[in-house]
Amino acid sequence: MSSTRERLVEAMATSLARKGFAGVGVSEVLEQAQTPKGVLYHHFTDGKTGLAIAAIRLSIERITGSLARKRASCEDPIEALELWLEGMRQRLEASSFEYGCPLAATALEVHAEQTELRAALTEGFNALQAEVARTIEAAGIPAARARELAAFFVSAYEGGLMQARVASDSTFLRGICATLLGLLRAEQRLQKPLPQRKNQTKRSVHNA
Amino acid sequence: MSSTRERLVEAMATSLARKGFAGVGVSEVLEQAQTPKGVLYHHFTDGKTGLAIAAIRLSIERITGSLARKRASCEDPIEALELWLEGMRQRLEASSFEYGCPLAATALEVHAEQTELRAALTEGFNALQAEVARTIEAAGIPAARARELAAFFVSAYEGGLMQARVASDSTFLRGICATLLGLLRAEQRLQKPLPQRKNQTKRSVHNA
DNA sequence: CCCAACCTAGACCGATCGGTCTAGAGGAAA
DNA sequence: TTTCCTCTAGACCGATCGGTCTAGGTTGGG
């Protein structure tokens, strides 16, 4: 059985992905979790904010875990990435283009005074980037470059999710996805062009 | 000087860029615009929503106008893009990482029932992409490809803005920007490998 | 001049916001 | 059994939400 606490966090997590922190009402979350108000303020002294932070952590845990699992079960790390992106796109589609990134909406609403919430979000995005970077590295790309690419990767996909959401159309997002994976493959080829060949000049697509 | 209506739209536009639709209160906007409530509901029968739509349109008009102007005054279209991105980054920095994309926050909060608001957002993003595509095309890339690249471009920058905002750090965003411009330059080189050749095929402006 | 039309001004409204508080159910330890 | 503590339950709170409505300028056309 799921505890009331778990149900609350779960409900908040989906609500955050759908409308962000400012957009959700506490009563709404309570209703979805089938829980009276007392439970919330018993488990989370910080109320709505505390619950949101827990929800953000849960979402990130799940999403990074999902990528890690796919990476473990796939021969090719880049294919794992592809499957992972596809999974998120399908969730968006299955929810009639309501369920986007669990963090993004909140990230754009939060203001300077909400330090804890903001910290949880930063931490979340860092964890996300780190997991993607790990995957890219597993594809044979040096760590430093993998981090750069991961940052770019996450940004582009976040933007794509957002635009697909408003437009209620994900063909767009598929394009983004394909472009990103293409970039990674190209980078991969640069890194291990032909193992027998020495003295490869490395040309980077990107320029810092 | 500025009419009350203009002040209202202005105030709403900045508020949307800072906290999104759900995050702003009407009274807050009224105060910032130094305007009593009656004015809002006189000019906008749809109230908050109507004002937000007007604000979205204004923001998009400004932002696309800014790019168009830079394109007109710059020799190199890609340099125009660079200046444009820089401008947005600077605005984010100057506002202590509060002022992000004027549409993004709202785009992630809006739900299916808010059809008009959603339509304004979609229209806005389309206009934005179109203006970027026009610039990329001016850099010598065929229209169809320019549109693809523009979509990618906008997505990546939106995502970058968001992450820079939460992290209160824009070094990250500079990286995204550099990568994007690098990609464009690479694409440009592919398109016109030897510029001194005579009888350059003029690329058609439009493509079904 | 008068009088609409337009705009300003803010009191006021019910609904909902996030949060507090008290009462008690349930179970484990004594 | 009694006691204590965790968790459930929801009535209740002031503040704020978005929105309505009436009254009072202000202005330009007749």
Side-chain angles (χ1 to χ4, degrees):
Chain A
M1 252 312 282
S2 64
S3 72
T4 54
R5 190 184 195 281
E6 282 167 349
R7 269 182 288 141
L8 273 177
V9 177
E10 191 75 45
M12 181 55 111
T14 62
S15 286
L16 287 186
R18 286 171 176 272
K19 8 191 177 176
F21 186 71
V24 215
V26 170
S27 58
E28 195 181 332
V29 175
L30 293 171
E31 193 187 0
Q32 212 213 313
Q34 294 272 62
T35 287
K37 210 166 218 182
V39 176
L40 166 57
Y41 292 91
H42 171 74
H43 289 294
F44 302 92
T45 33
D46 280 356
K48 189 188 179 187
T49 302
L51 177 57
I53 290 174
I56 288 168
R57 295 207 174 117
L58 175 69
S59 298
I60 284 295
E61 218 169 88
R62 283 199 179 149
I63 220 164
T64 54
S66 157
L67 176 54
R69 243 174 290 118
K70 286 191 169 58
R71 197 175 59 227
S73 69
C74 266
E75 186 72 14
D76 176 15
I78 296 187
E79 196 188 320
L81 265 177
E82 183 170 10
L83 289 174
W84 184 61
L85 294 187
E86 211 171 290
M88 292 190 293
R89 200 197 63 228
Q90 279 167 5
R91 179 147 64 166
L92 178 69
E93 290 165 353
S95 66
S96 310
F97 296 92
E98 292 279 317
Y99 192 106
C101 169
L103 276 67
T106 307
L108 288 172
E109 299 173 326
V110 87
H111 51 94
E113 291 83 47
Q114 304 168 293
T115 47
E116 291 175 59
L117 191 54
R118 206 163 190 166
L121 289 165
T122 310
E123 195 188 328
F125 279 118
N126 286 340
L128 189 59
Q129 280 189 31
E131 193 66 43
V132 173
R134 226 166 283 141
T135 309
I136 294 179
E137 209 182 330
I141 286 153
R145 179 63 180 151
R147 265 200 303 278
E148 282 175 25
L149 285 170
F152 189 71
F153 199 94
V154 172
S155 289
Y157 205 71
E158 289 286 352
L161 267 179
M162 182 193 70
Q163 286 188 76
R165 187 179 185 277
V166 277
S168 298
D169 179 5
S170 63
T171 55
F172 174 80
L173 189 54
R174 286 169 203 261
I176 301 277
C177 178
T179 308
L180 281 173
L181 295 169
L183 278 178
L184 287 188
R185 296 254 184 240
E187 189 89 12
Q188 196 180 31
R189 277 190 299 273
L190 286 181
Q191 290 301 331
K192 40 176 183 183
L194 283 175
Q196 65 273 30
R197 189 80 163 173
K198 170 183 175 184
N199 186 24
Q200 296 276 338
T201 328
K202 84 179 206 186
R203 323 156 260 135
S204 164
V205 182
H206 147 96
N207 226 336
Chain B
M1 255 325 285
S2 68
S3 72
T4 54
R5 189 184 196 279
E6 281 166 351
R7 270 183 285 143
L8 272 177
V9 177
E10 191 75 45
M12 180 55 111
T14 62
S15 287
L16 286 185
R18 286 171 177 269
K19 8 193 177 176
F21 186 71
V24 214
V26 169
S27 57
E28 195 181 332
V29 175
L30 292 171
E31 193 187 0
Q32 212 212 313
Q34 294 272 60
T35 286
K37 212 166 218 181
V39 176
L40 166 57
Y41 292 92
H42 170 75
H43 289 293
F44 301 93
T45 33
D46 280 358
K48 189 188 181 188
T49 302
L51 177 56
I53 291 174
I56 288 167
R57 295 205 176 119
L58 174 69
S59 298
I60 284 295
E61 216 168 273
R62 283 198 181 152
I63 219 164
T64 55
S66 158
L67 176 54
R69 242 173 292 118
K70 285 191 169 57
R71 196 175 59 228
S73 69
C74 266
E75 186 75 13
D76 176 13
I78 297 188
E79 197 190 320
L81 266 177
E82 183 169 11
L83 288 174
W84 184 61
L85 295 186
E86 210 171 292
M88 292 190 294
R89 200 198 64 229
Q90 278 167 5
R91 180 148 63 166
L92 178 69
E93 290 164 353
S95 65
S96 310
F97 296 92
E98 293 277 318
Y99 192 106
C101 169
L103 276 67
T106 308
L108 288 172
E109 300 173 324
V110 88
H111 50 94
E113 292 83 46
Q114 303 168 294
T115 48
E116 291 174 60
L117 191 53
R118 206 163 190 164
L121 289 165
T122 312
E123 196 189 325
F125 280 118
N126 286 341
L128 189 58
Q129 279 188 32
E131 193 65 42
V132 173
R134 225 166 285 141
T135 309
I136 294 178
E137 209 183 329
I141 287 154
R145 180 61 179 152
R147 266 200 302 280
E148 282 175 25
L149 286 170
F152 189 72
F153 199 94
V154 172
S155 290
Y157 205 73
E158 288 287 352
L161 266 178
M162 182 193 70
Q163 287 187 75
R165 188 179 184 278
V166 278
S168 297
D169 179 5
S170 63
T171 54
F172 174 81
L173 190 55
R174 287 170 202 258
I176 302 277
C177 178
T179 306
L180 282 173
L181 295 170
L183 278 176
L184 287 188
R185 296 253 184 241
E187 189 90 12
Q188 196 179 31
R189 276 192 298 272
L190 286 180
Q191 290 300 328
K192 40 176 182 184
L194 290 173
Q196 62 272 43
R197 272 271 286 282
K198 149 176 194 206
N199 187 24
Q200 297 263 343
T201 339
K202 189 81 183 177
R203 322 204 175 272
S204 77
V205 179
H206 65 285
N207 215 339

